[in-house]
Amino acid sequence: MDAQKFNSLLKKIKYNKRAVAAIYAEYYLPLKLHLQRKFGNLINAEDSVQDVFLKLMEMDQPSYVEFPATWINELGYNHVIDELRAKLKELEEVPLSEDIDSNFEVEKTVLNLDIQNAFRNLDPVMQKILYLHFWEGYDLQDLAEKFHINYGNLRVKVSRAYQILRIYLK
């Protein structure tokens, strides 16, 4: 479906069943397959697609959508991410018994000490790079630019750092 036809149908989606049916027929299966590929068994793709189309019918008219398939896939992706975040938040709110919680803290402390000792065997630049990558979420490409290192060389250095950490964490 071309963008002009999609936008025309999108304007009518709140009050015209044929507009809903046309958009649904065109984008249901591709969206379902897209979500299944992205999220696998984490979600029920059919339910998520249904939710996306319900939201689509309830939403205010967006500005002109130039790439309808991409736009609908992004709606689906964002919807699933929101669902997964909500589930994660529910899991975080489940209280642990004091016994489990205290054992976890002890194990976490021991684990942190082991990791800290292993981390000390790396050169300072590699320590910074691994910290920024894993704990701060920087992409390796961004770190390569920041530290003025060729991206391929950085990947090799990170791989060697992993080898060193594996030796000390055994």
Side-chain angles (χ1 to χ4, degrees):
M1 178 179 304
D2 68 343
Q4 192 171 14
K5 182 177 180 182
F6 177 80
N7 284 288
S8 169
L9 292 171
L10 195 57
K11 288 180 185 177
K12 303 173 189 174
I13 200 166
K14 285 189 178 185
Y15 59 87
N16 187 327
K17 289 182 181 179
R18 287 186 181 154
V20 173
I23 291 175
Y24 188 84
E26 181 77 19
Y27 295 105
Y28 171 79
L29 188 58
L31 178 58
K32 179 182 170 189
L33 294 173
H34 173 72
L35 294 178
Q36 283 175 334
R37 271 193 312 271
K38 286 280 188 186
F39 298 102
N41 294 335
L42 289 175
I43 62 161
N44 182 335
E46 284 189 31
D47 289 347
S48 295
V49 171
Q50 296 296 329
D51 291 342
V52 168
F53 278 99
L54 287 173
K55 280 186 177 184
L56 188 63
M57 292 187 318
E58 294 170 354
M59 75 183 339
D60 293 330
Q61 175 62 37
S63 58
Y64 187 80
V65 176
E66 191 170 348
F67 302 104
T70 303
W71 185 75
I72 288 196
N73 283 344
E74 282 299 311
L75 278 177
Y77 180 83
N78 291 337
H79 171 75
V80 170
I81 291 295
D82 290 344
E83 277 185 353
L84 292 174
R85 283 184 182 143
K87 287 180 184 177
L88 183 61
K89 189 173 182 180
E90 289 174 10
L91 289 174
E92 288 174 351
E93 292 173 357
V94 173
L96 294 174
S97 72
E98 288 183 25
D99 185 40
I100 293 173
D101 196 28
S102 64
N103 287 341
F104 176 73
E105 289 299 322
V106 170
E107 289 176 11
K108 191 169 126 180
T109 305
V110 170
L111 180 64
N112 285 340
L113 289 174
D114 289 342
I115 291 173
Q116 288 173 10
N117 290 333
F119 219 65
R120 287 187 188 117
N121 292 298
L122 301 174
D123 67 275
V125 173
M126 192 45 56
Q127 289 177 5
K128 287 179 187 174
I129 289 172
L130 289 179
Y131 174 79
L132 291 171
H133 180 60
F134 288 105
W135 283 277
E136 298 294 326
Y138 283 87
D139 187 57
L140 286 179
Q141 184 70 39
D142 296 335
L143 291 172
E145 292 171 12
K146 181 176 180 156
F147 286 92
H148 306 291
I149 301 172
N150 180 313
Y151 176 69
N153 290 344
L154 179 68
R155 288 188 54 184
V156 169
K157 288 182 182 211
V158 167
S159 176
R160 288 183 184 148
Y162 288 155
Q163 291 172 353
I164 292 169
L165 291 175
R166 279 189 203 111
I167 290 169
Y168 287 100
L169 289 174
K170 281 187 178 183

